Amino acid sequence: MARSTLYQLVASELRRTIYSGVLGPGDQLPTEAELMSAHQVSRNTVRLALGELVNEGLVTRTPRRGTVVRERRPLLMHPQRELQPQPGETREAFAWAVSQEGRAPSQEIEVSIVHPSEEIASRLELPDDELAVVRRRLRYVDGQPYNTNDSYFPLTLVSGSEIARPGDIGRGANRVLEELGHPQVRVVDDIWARMPTSSESERLQLQLGTPVVVYVRVGYDEEGTPVRVAVSVLPADKHLIRYELESR
Amino acid sequence: MARSTLYQLVASELRRTIYSGVLGPGDQLPTEAELMSAHQVSRNTVRLALGELVNEGLVTRTPRRGTVVRERRPLLMHPQRELQPQPGETREAFAWAVSQEGRAPSQEIEVSIVHPSEEIASRLELPDDELAVVRRRLRYVDGQPYNTNDSYFPLTLVSGSEIARPGDIGRGANRVLEELGHPQVRVVDDIWARMPTSSESERLQLQLGTPVVVYVRVGYDEEGTPVRVAVSVLPADKHLIRYELESR
């Protein structure tokens, strides 16, 4: 993590203590005074760090009980960060987000050439009978199936590139699109939820009654042409999506 | 709608045709040539307008079948627009979004002073035993219950203002916060999904097996103090959340 500020480093250490299980649900974190002396930082830095964890839903804070680890530990997704890669970071966004939390990402990937469904064709603005390359990923965290991500690309755009070949692309498909002259400069994210299909339940080993969040990102290049449609299926009990917006 | 461009006006008319039911699911829209002559606009303008409708999930386009109205008609939420009010528009965001679609918004509102839950207190960074004002809204579209929005404010901040009084605030609570010297300059949006509670099912008249999307926005003023926590419960079959991001 290049260029982290001091409070982010403190937050990051505390986060690891929680994700590694050293501190479990209901456990108290050290007091502000203890954290100040352990990390040799100011009270303000400690408060900023704890504020991060509160915002991530990892802990709650009350003056009486102090800072306490929460029960719920969903994977926090920051769709904005995919567009603004961390400096020096070359891994794709999911792997990065998971390892940030001290957990181990892995994935199975399957690359095919398909006639896309009407919905995908419409989002990709593909003429009739045009083919797409789809990279279907089943992603694991600490060995457990976690979510799926199917990314579609116009075949004419990516044929002959790494995107149309089987196997992982370490630096992510978005970098390959850039190298092909089609960086995504604008994305539209649609988010909704529904009950899973039976094949999703099986593939993701869902408990009965667990809904999924469907998150579709369409990426457009400088010409306004859609170059990628990514469909993620996120079991609702394991994911939290966060956007941060500033008024202009 | 101040300062609409030509294609937006065309899109807006087509949208009304769909939402009013003149064109139903599976129906074809007029051809590009017909739309050009009906609206006296260029082919490019027609295409931009149709592109809007595709992006909103209202229609699909294929060269063979033309432009066809889709089955699914969720309410499209643009959480970004709440931060960037439309010029000249004084209504709050939900009412505006619904009437944009040619549908009729209404709401029931209930204002109380409460001891907030630990989660809300934590997000509002409220000291122990501090009270909050909550404005609980049940919102209707065309007379049908649609979603709920509970907004929490620190009592010390809003006591004596319109926010702490019963009844609707036509220009929206965010404007009142501005007038109190606490404009929200940054928001953090968290989105997840779950099954509804039984009281939610009843209140929102949900069909069995319909999940809800929970959407929580925390608004911060210029000092970085949280001034509002808004919790929306959105039946998943009726809502679509959209963010548009540009790379920097």
Side-chain angles (χ1 to χ4, degrees):
Chain A
M1 199 165 51
R3 292 199 298 190
S4 286
T5 59
L6 200 50
Y7 85 87
Q8 286 172 328
L9 289 173
V10 175
S12 182
E13 271 191 52
L14 291 171
R15 207 179 278 121
R16 261 184 269 277
T17 323
I18 296 169
Y19 280 118
S20 65
V22 173
L23 288 176
D27 285 350
Q28 281 190 357
L29 264 65
T31 62
E32 286 184 7
E34 288 165 353
L35 290 170
M36 284 163 67
S37 103
H39 296 273
Q40 290 292 303
V41 294
S42 68
R43 183 174 300 272
N44 195 39
T45 299
V46 166
R47 288 196 172 156
L48 284 170
L50 293 173
E52 278 276 277
L53 303 186
V54 169
N55 274 335
E56 289 169 14
L58 280 179
V59 302
T60 53
R61 303 196 72 197
T62 58
R64 204 178 38 229
R65 300 184 53 215
T67 310
V68 171
V69 179
R70 287 186 57 179
E71 197 62 49
R72 198 161 155 278
R73 297 192 317 181
L75 183 68
L76 185 60
M77 322 260 297
H78 287 281
Q80 271 157 316
R81 297 201 181 151
E82 204 171 331
L83 239 69
Q84 294 140 32
Q86 300 299 307
E89 178 55 55
T90 54
R91 284 172 302 172
E92 54 94 31
F94 175 76
W96 186 80
V98 171
S99 44
Q100 270 303 97
E101 297 195 345
R103 298 155 103 179
S106 59
Q107 59 180 7
E108 281 165 17
I109 200 162
E110 194 192 280
V111 180
S112 337
I113 293 176
V114 295
H115 286 285
S117 70
E118 196 160 274
E119 191 197 336
I120 298 293
S122 184
R123 288 190 188 259
L124 273 182
E125 297 173 17
L126 279 188
D128 253 17
D129 296 325
E130 283 254 352
L131 298 171
V133 170
V134 54
R135 299 177 64 82
R136 291 196 177 91
R137 288 182 285 181
L138 173 56
R139 290 151 152 186
Y140 295 82
V141 172
D142 293 336
Q144 300 297 310
Y146 223 74
N147 63 46
T148 62
N149 174 290
D150 296 349
S151 289
Y152 296 82
F153 308 84
L155 175 61
T156 51
L157 200 73
V158 301
S159 104
S161 80
E162 261 176 281
I163 290 177
R165 264 172 256 150
D168 203 9
I169 305 175
R171 62 194 187 287
N174 290 346
R175 291 284 167 101
V176 179
L177 284 173
E178 269 172 53
E179 293 157 17
L180 292 170
H182 297 279
Q184 293 164 83
V185 297
R186 183 172 158 260
V187 298
V188 177
D189 289 354
D190 282 346
I191 299 166
W192 68 95
R194 59 170 169 72
M195 295 314 285
T197 63
S198 57
S199 78
E200 286 166 348
S201 292
E202 201 174 316
R203 204 161 171 223
L204 291 164
Q205 297 175 20
L206 298 180
Q207 301 232 290
L208 203 69
T210 305
V212 291
V213 172
V214 184
Y215 157 51
V216 179
R217 164 166 289 189
V218 184
Y220 297 86
D221 68 8
E222 281 153 346
E223 317 272 274
T225 304
V227 293
R228 175 180 192 167
V229 173
V231 181
S232 297
V233 176
L234 313 172
D237 56 341
K238 289 180 184 157
H239 295 84
L240 173 62
I241 301 179
R242 169 166 302 168
Y243 289 87
E244 298 183 26
L245 309 173
E246 314 223 337
S247 67
R248 287 164 212 169
Chain B
M1 201 166 51
R3 294 197 297 187
S4 286
T5 58
L6 199 51
Y7 85 85
Q8 286 173 325
L9 289 172
V10 175
S12 184
E13 271 191 51
L14 291 171
R15 206 180 279 121
R16 261 183 269 278
T17 323
I18 296 169
Y19 280 117
S20 65
V22 171
L23 288 176
D27 286 350
Q28 281 189 357
L29 264 66
T31 62
E32 286 185 5
E34 287 164 353
L35 289 169
M36 285 163 67
S37 103
H39 296 273
Q40 291 293 299
V41 294
S42 69
R43 182 173 301 270
N44 196 38
T45 299
V46 165
R47 288 193 173 160
L48 283 171
L50 293 174
E52 276 279 273
L53 303 185
V54 168
N55 274 334
E56 290 169 13
L58 280 178
V59 302
T60 51
R61 304 196 71 197
T62 57
R64 202 177 42 228
R65 301 184 53 213
T67 309
V68 171
V69 179
R70 288 186 57 179
E71 198 61 50
R72 196 161 158 277
R73 294 194 317 182
L75 182 67
L76 185 59
M77 323 260 296
H78 286 281
Q80 271 157 316
R81 296 200 181 153
E82 203 171 332
L83 239 68
Q84 295 142 30
Q86 301 298 306
E89 177 57 53
T90 55
R91 282 171 304 172
E92 53 95 34
F94 176 77
W96 185 81
V98 172
S99 45
Q100 271 302 96
E101 296 195 344
R103 299 154 103 179
S106 59
Q107 59 180 9
E108 281 165 17
I109 199 163
E110 194 192 280
V111 180
S112 336
I113 294 177
V114 296
H115 285 285
S117 69
E118 195 162 274
E119 192 197 336
I120 300 292
S122 185
R123 287 189 188 262
L124 272 182
E125 297 174 16
L126 277 189
D128 251 16
D129 296 325
E130 283 255 350
L131 298 171
V133 170
V134 54
R135 301 177 62 83
R136 291 195 177 90
R137 288 182 285 182
L138 174 56
R139 291 150 151 185
Y140 296 82
V141 172
D142 293 336
Q144 301 297 310
Y146 223 73
N147 64 45
T148 62
N149 175 291
D150 296 348
S151 288
Y152 296 81
F153 308 85
L155 175 62
T156 51
L157 199 76
V158 301
S159 106
S161 79
E162 261 177 279
I163 289 176
R165 262 172 256 149
D168 204 10
I169 305 175
R171 65 195 186 287
N174 289 346
R175 291 284 167 102
V176 179
L177 283 174
E178 269 173 52
E179 293 157 17
L180 291 170
H182 297 279
Q184 293 164 84
V185 297
R186 184 171 157 262
V187 298
V188 177
D189 290 354
D190 282 346
I191 299 167
W192 69 95
R194 58 169 170 74
M195 295 312 285
T197 63
S198 57
S199 77
E200 286 167 348
S201 292
E202 200 174 315
R203 201 160 175 226
L204 291 164
Q205 298 176 20
L206 298 180
Q207 303 233 292
L208 203 69
T210 307
V212 291
V213 172
V214 184
Y215 157 51
V216 177
R217 165 167 289 190
V218 183
Y220 297 86
D221 68 8
E222 282 154 344
E223 316 274 274
T225 304
V227 294
R228 177 181 191 166
V229 173
V231 180
S232 297
V233 176
L234 313 172
D237 56 341
K238 289 180 183 158
H239 296 84
L240 173 62
I241 301 180
R242 170 167 301 169
Y243 289 86
E244 298 182 25
L245 308 174
E246 314 222 336
S247 68
R248 285 166 213 167

